[in-house]
Amino acid sequence: MNSITIQPAAAVRGVITVPGDKSISHRSIMLGAIANGITTVRGFLRGEDNMSTMHAFRAMGVDIDDDGETIRITGRGLHGLKEPGDILDCGNSGTTIRLITGLLSGQSFFSVVTGDKYLRKRPMKRVVEPLSRMGARISGRNDGTLAPLAINGGFLKGVEYQSPVSSAQIKSSIMLAGLYADGETRVSEPSLSRDHSERMFRHFGASLDVHSDGVAVRGGFELTAREVTVPGDISSAAFFIVAALITPDSELLIRNVGVNRSRTGVIDILLAMGGDIQLQDEREVSGEPVADILVRSSRLKGIAISGSVVPRAIDEFPAICIAAARAEGVTSVRDARELRVKETDRITAMANNLRKLGITVTETEDGMDITGSERLLGGTVDSCGDHRIAMSLSVAALVASGAIMVTDIGCVATSFPTFFPLLEKVSSK
Ligand code: S3P
């Protein structure tokens, strides 16, 4: 199990870009595979999670070419996927397994999906239940609630589904099944989760209506191949935004970051904490808002975080916890129960690790209270096999009183293979 030791830094400075958005990269392969024609994707994230999606579609007969610059997907049309000869391994990727299960529910063949030891513990009932209501026959471990899942698809009917949680994976899984269903499929959620599927469905010409209370997809319409340019991932940028905010004498420009409103909760939260963050040159690329983000060192204060901003920042809480650990006063996080079913239980993982660094943290069932401190201790912390825990703790090391060793860092390759060299490049000792 590999680890890294990171020394405190004097400043974080420079001009950087971060790799492509993970959510948009997944969706570009999925829609490209079932569209008619050749879809080209630039800025695609070649992290392990997205490679799992790519391998799964290749295993279903889709020709996907990668020249290192551009990905070219030869779409097979709505009904052109082939029965895979083996189990589809989704690795660590919740997005791959949940979205692909929706898509496979619409196929008239048999398939089995699974993943690594972390993914096999994550809840699948949230997609199995609505997809079964649409007519898919899905079985799996623990009464169909855990992977591996075996899917007998085909003959779906449109349903109206009110998701009890705000989750883009649930919404997108049902939308993908809805492309194959008879009639209209409607999904609503308590508050808006990331809407990349809605935007990309439209980009590929799907028959889709977005309402204030959800989205409606009509089945049976073919998609048309498109060009997709993937912006930098705000979830990856978040580690560098926090790094520049908490480290003295810092100024960092992060170019070409996706700033879709359903993803910018982290910016709203850090601004409310007193962060000096500016969005520059806002523009739209392939139907997604993009900007350059300028960040300077700031004195942060604790705030209360709850409600509809939570799904808009759901992947950024590990990074936000580091900002909170350095803020003056208490930061409280509530309505964030979903953090307990991410790659690991991120509430417990961050609480335990922050305590090792001398920070006072109280866990609640749906969040935590973090009491900020000027003094963060050095020591050894553990990623718990979760890429975002590993990266946020590495950022904490920049302002600790001694070196921090982060163990089990191989997971970083799932979303940000170049994270450590980039962190090294911007931090001066
Ligand atoms: C994602 C949705 C979110 C997020 C995940 C990516 C997506 O998961 O945490 O990293 O691409 O749809 P949930 O839908 O479980 O909130």
Side-chain angles (χ1 to χ4, degrees), residues 128-427:
V128 169
E129 203 242 323
L131 295 171
S132 304
R133 249 196 243 176
M134 294 176 78
R137 285 167 297 142
I138 306 176
S139 49
R141 283 190 309 127
N142 198 30
D143 203 16
T145 63
L146 294 175
L149 300 174
I151 304 151
N152 282 287
F155 303 111
L156 302 184
K157 57 178 187 302
V159 292
E160 199 169 329
Y161 186 68
Q162 278 189 322
S163 175
V165 286
S166 296
S167 157
Q169 292 180 356
I170 299 176
K171 177 173 62 179
S172 308
S173 180
I174 299 169
M175 285 171 69
L176 284 162
L179 289 175
Y180 293 89
D182 195 19
E184 191 176 79
T185 299
R186 282 177 169 263
V187 198
S188 61
E189 52 186 344
S191 69
L192 185 70
S193 64
R194 64 191 66 192
D195 66 355
H196 302 302
S197 295
E198 290 90 317
R199 287 168 188 264
M200 206 176 282
F201 270 49
R202 223 182 258 134
H203 192 55
F204 278 78
S207 173
L208 174 100
D209 284 320
V210 179
H211 305 281
S212 55
D213 62 337
V215 55
V217 183
R218 270 172 299 277
F221 291 88
E222 291 284 339
L223 307 181
T224 308
R226 291 283 182 231
E227 287 186 5
V228 179
T229 300
V230 182
D233 197 327
I234 191 165
S235 298
S236 299
F239 301 108
F240 287 90
I241 295 174
V242 170
L245 287 176
I246 63 175
T247 312
D249 287 325
S250 298
E251 181 172 306
L252 190 66
L253 180 65
I254 314 172
R255 287 201 195 278
N256 189 39
V257 183
V259 289
N260 177 325
R261 214 192 106 69
S262 64
R263 297 286 299 281
T264 48
V266 61
I267 305 231
D268 293 347
I269 288 167
L270 294 170
L271 282 173
M273 293 176 80
D276 181 350
I277 305 172
Q278 290 168 36
L279 297 196
Q280 300 180 337
D281 191 15
E282 291 187 53
R283 54 214 188 254
E284 191 162 307
V285 180
S286 298
E288 289 279 352
V290 175
D292 301 335
I293 303 181
L294 179 66
V295 194
R296 296 196 183 93
S297 326
S298 307
R299 281 183 72 85
L300 301 178
K301 58 179 192 302
I303 59 164
I305 305 167
S306 65
S308 61
V309 76
V310 173
R312 295 178 50 236
I314 195 67
D315 287 342
E316 287 66 71
F317 279 94
I320 291 166
C321 285
I322 303 304
R326 291 294 284 179
E328 192 187 325
V330 177
T331 297
S332 70
V333 179
R334 295 291 184 276
D335 302 329
R337 199 172 289 107
E338 277 294 298
L339 294 178
R340 295 208 180 272
V341 290
K342 292 297 174 189
E343 285 79 334
T344 187
D345 176 340
R346 287 184 174 159
I347 295 177
T348 298
M350 285 311 293
N352 288 343
N353 279 308
L354 284 176
R355 283 189 202 113
K356 286 188 203 156
L357 303 178
I359 301 295
T360 304
V361 186
T362 314
E363 267 189 54
T364 66
E365 187 242 331
D366 67 342
M368 58 181 121
D369 291 333
I370 300 171
T371 306
S373 167
E374 298 229 318
R375 200 170 144 72
L376 205 73
L377 305 176
T380 300
V381 288
D382 178 28
S383 77
C384 308
D386 182 323
H387 54 139
R388 300 200 202 283
I389 305 282
M391 290 186 273
S392 53
L393 294 168
S394 305
V395 166
L398 302 179
V399 293
S401 56
I404 291 183
M405 180 198 262
V406 187
T407 60
D408 195 5
I409 55 160
C411 50
V412 166
T414 60
S415 68
F416 201 162
T418 53
F419 172 76
F420 289 112
L422 195 56
L423 189 65
E424 169 89 37
K425 186 177 146 200
V426 295
S427 38

Side-chain angles (χ1 to χ4, degrees), residues 59-60 83-89 110-113:
M60 290 189 280
E83 182 172 85
D86 204 345
I87 293 170
L88 300 175
D89 184 356
F110 173 75
S111 53
V112 181
V113 291

